[in-house]
Amino acid sequence: MSDSPVIKTMRVVPVAGYDSMLLNIGGAHNCYFTRILVILTDSAGRTGVGESPCHASTLGLLARFQSQIEGSELLRLNATIATLFASDARHQQTAHTDDIHIPQMNPEKFYNAAAAIEAALLDLMGQHLNLPVADLLASGRQRDRVPVLGYLFYIADRNLTSMNYQAGQAGGDAWLQLRHEKAMDAQSVVRLAEAAAERYGFRDFKLKGGVHHGEVEVETVNALLQRFPQARVTVDPNASWSLDEAIYYGKQLAGRIPYLEDPCGAEQGYSGRETLAEFKRATGIPVATNMIANDWRQLQHALQLNAIDIPLADPHFWTMRHAHTVAQLCQEWGLTTGCHSNNHFDVSLAMVAHLGAAAPGDRLTAFDTHWIWQDGQQLTQHAPQIRDGHLELPEGPGLGITLNMKRVEAAHALYTSLPDKNRNDALGMQFLIENWSFNAKRPALLR
Ligand SMILES: O=C([O-])[C@@H](O)[C@@H](O)[C@H](O)[C@@H](O)C(=O)[O-]
Ligand SMILES: [Mg+2]
């Protein structure tokens, strides 16, 4: 394989950006969010990049993988990634020994690390072959733009905290202002949706639930549907509703929403896969999930129980290539392809664009992205664009993006300055409710 470029350097750069006080079952988003960039250079002088959620253990894994990546031949990408998976398997085995010096590899963090490396390698491979990454995924490019949804949150009043939440940009459009302001009821969420639709052309919306009592969230969905009668609107309470509540609210929304996301979860000795299967039978409402089918084994159980219709295979949880395999499986087995997200920068946005562009078939539900909350903080020269409710595939080979290193270094400096680097939504929430703590079965404001 002497013609292959060789990976010269792997740099792992944790970065931070700003976020609004968005509410979810875990509490309130911090004023900062953190991510990891993996930046590879090769012997042909090219740079490839990938992004992942940030956690100290993911950083530890990436540091460990560096020696396996540097010196590897780009065209042996499959073998390189297989080596990472093999070292994961070895670790899982050794972690069962009594040797406390061998750290247990957290599977979620392992996938986050592998996903960022794989994306950076695919970026380099695409540049080498002069092809977009979408063409390197097994089905190849199917479309040039991917439907995405307007991800709406209730927003707490940042003025109640001493945290460094940013204010809206003077002179910006309505979205750039409103995304920083309190929005705790149906009317203000509709206003947010109007501003997002004006800027990005959304026709699909998802409300992050698990915040208020379910009645209030159903009322918000109804208000959105009334304002946007042609739109596809859903709510994701992150399994905070009981099965009975989920069926009760589901029946109120049936026929008017395309699907519900994780309406209920594990309870009374039954797994989330079991309760979702019962929910589906009781209501006939399709179910999407990013909570109970996040690896092959979980997905197999979910499908055997007929618990879900839309596995939201996030490329950061699965890697881009595995998420694409899930999309192929959806196409072959009559499921619908979708994608979950967390707060992210524009490198992840490009990863999602290429994944969506390569997803086969037309049973595709609008992909999630939190990016509208971060729009303006891009770390690339030209961020992928969301227009007319669609994320456009960036032009050019690889991921089609070029890092803006000045911004990357500034985002890294911000990360370095933060006292809390891992996500902890309880901190902000405790300004709203004293001593607040997480409860997987209760919406955040019900304490
Ligand atoms: O950003 C949030 O608050 C979401 O709740 C996120 O953490 C979830 O992972 C996600 O967006 C979801 O769909 O469940
Ligand atoms: Mg979800």
Side-chain angles (χ1 to χ4, degrees):
M1 199 62 77
S2 53
D3 287 346
S4 175
V6 170
I7 307 303
K8 286 285 187 205
T9 60
M10 167 168 153
R11 185 175 166 210
V12 177
V13 191
V15 282
Y18 297 93
D19 200 2
S20 302
M21 197 171 177
L22 308 180
L23 296 179
N24 73 124
I25 190 173
H29 285 202
N30 197 300
C31 53
Y32 305 106
F33 74 103
T34 57
R35 302 286 285 180
I36 301 172
L37 298 181
V38 169
I39 306 176
L40 302 178
T41 59
D42 71 10
S43 53
R46 299 190 178 100
T47 301
V49 61
E51 180 177 334
S52 88
C54 183
H55 194 275
S57 38
T58 314
L59 287 168
L61 283 167
L62 286 165
R64 235 186 57 210
F65 292 151
Q66 185 171 358
S67 60
Q68 284 166 259
I69 303 302
E70 287 178 347
S72 67
E73 291 182 340
L74 178 61
L75 296 183
R76 290 182 57 80
L77 182 155
N78 283 345
T80 306
I81 298 292
T83 320
L84 298 187
F85 278 84
S87 73
D88 175 45
R90 253 196 333 275
H91 251 254
Q92 303 287 4
Q93 276 165 13
T94 46
H96 293 298
T97 70
D98 289 335
D99 187 345
I100 54 161
H101 301 295
I102 300 175
Q104 174 104 42
M105 179 106 74
N106 173 329
E108 183 192 321
K109 306 298 182 258
F110 167 78
Y111 270 88
N112 291 168
I117 292 173
E118 187 204 76
L121 287 170
L122 285 168
D123 188 15
L124 284 175
M125 180 81 96
Q127 294 175 52
H128 176 70
L129 298 172
N130 198 22
L131 288 172
V133 167
D135 271 334
L136 304 182
L137 299 174
S139 320
R141 180 170 22 159
Q142 308 286 309
R143 55 186 72 74
D144 289 329
R145 49 186 222 144
V146 181
V148 284
L149 53 72
Y151 199 159
L152 304 170
F153 286 76
Y154 296 107
I155 311 175
D157 182 356
R158 61 188 157 85
N159 299 310
L160 298 175
T161 78
S162 57
M163 295 167 78
N164 188 25
Y165 290 105
Q166 308 289 292
Q169 264 172 36
D173 66 15
W175 171 254
L176 297 182
Q177 296 281 339
L178 287 177
R179 67 179 177 172
H180 301 277
E181 303 307 327
K182 179 179 170 192
M184 292 298 286
D185 56 16
Q187 205 190 350
S188 36
V189 171
V190 168
R191 186 66 201 104
L192 263 180
E194 287 171 346
E198 223 167 273
R199 185 174 170 92
Y200 303 104
F202 293 126
R203 282 163 234 151
D204 295 68
F205 295 100
K206 162 170 141 180
L207 172 68
K208 174 51 58 178
V211 175
H212 286 289
H213 194 285
E215 298 283 357
V216 178
E217 299 185 352
V218 169
E219 183 193 315
T220 305
V221 171
N222 282 332
L224 286 164
L225 282 167
Q226 200 176 358
R227 172 61 185 84
F228 298 95
Q230 308 304 325
R232 289 161 46 96
V233 180
T234 192
V235 55
D236 171 13
N238 278 118
S240 60
W241 298 342
S242 69
L243 172 59
D244 285 348
E245 286 168 335
I247 292 173
Y248 175 73
Y249 299 132
K251 284 187 172 163
Q252 294 178 31
L253 294 170
R256 293 181 303 122
I257 50 163
Y259 63 90
L260 270 178
E261 185 171 325
D262 289 307
C264 50
E267 66 183 35
Q268 297 172 17
Y270 296 95
S271 71
R273 287 176 277 278
E274 288 164 338
T275 60
L276 286 177
E278 289 191 42
F279 168 82
K280 253 167 64 88
R281 277 201 297 277
T283 62
I285 298 178
V287 167
T289 185
N290 62 280
M291 295 182 74
I292 52 98
N294 287 339
D295 62 34
W296 293 114
R297 185 173 163 198
Q298 292 181 3
L299 182 60
Q300 183 219 135
H301 286 294
L303 295 182
Q304 279 176 2
L305 286 169
N306 196 17
I308 62 165
D309 304 274
I310 313 174
L312 299 170
D314 182 329
H316 308 88
F317 292 3
W318 286 83
T319 79
M320 285 184 77
R321 293 187 310 166
H322 283 206
H324 179 266
T325 308
V326 175
Q328 285 181 310
L329 187 144
C330 288
Q331 153 78 353
E332 297 297 334
W333 290 3
L335 302 161
T336 297
T337 297
C339 182
H340 159 269
S341 74
N342 275 308
N343 288 100
H344 59 89
F345 282 108
D346 41 339
V347 175
S348 284
L349 191 63
M351 289 164 61
V352 166
H354 284 269
L355 174 68
D362 49 15
R363 273 191 318 276
L364 201 70
T365 195
F367 278 23
D368 273 31
T369 171
H370 282 58
W371 189 76
I372 58 174
W373 299 95
Q374 269 66 59
D375 187 357
Q377 301 183 53
Q378 39 264 41
L379 301 183
T380 59
Q381 314 252 353
H382 303 285
Q385 291 299 304
I386 299 176
R387 292 193 190 96
D388 193 28
H390 288 75
L391 170 58
E392 296 173 356
L393 191 67
E395 276 176 27
L399 288 174
I401 49 175
T402 306
L403 287 175
N404 177 333
M405 285 313 293
K406 216 167 140 195
R407 281 176 171 242
V408 170
E409 298 305 348
H412 177 56
L414 180 61
Y415 170 89
T416 312
S417 72
L418 300 183
D420 304 298
K421 295 176 162 63
N422 295 334
R423 180 174 174 176
N424 177 1
D425 290 6
L427 285 179
M429 198 65 199
Q430 284 159 357
F431 283 94
L432 307 181
I433 298 176
E434 218 182 325
N435 296 324
W436 184 92
S437 68
F438 174 70
N439 179 338
K441 299 308 293 177
R442 285 193 79 69
L445 291 172
L446 304 190
R447 291 292 185 278

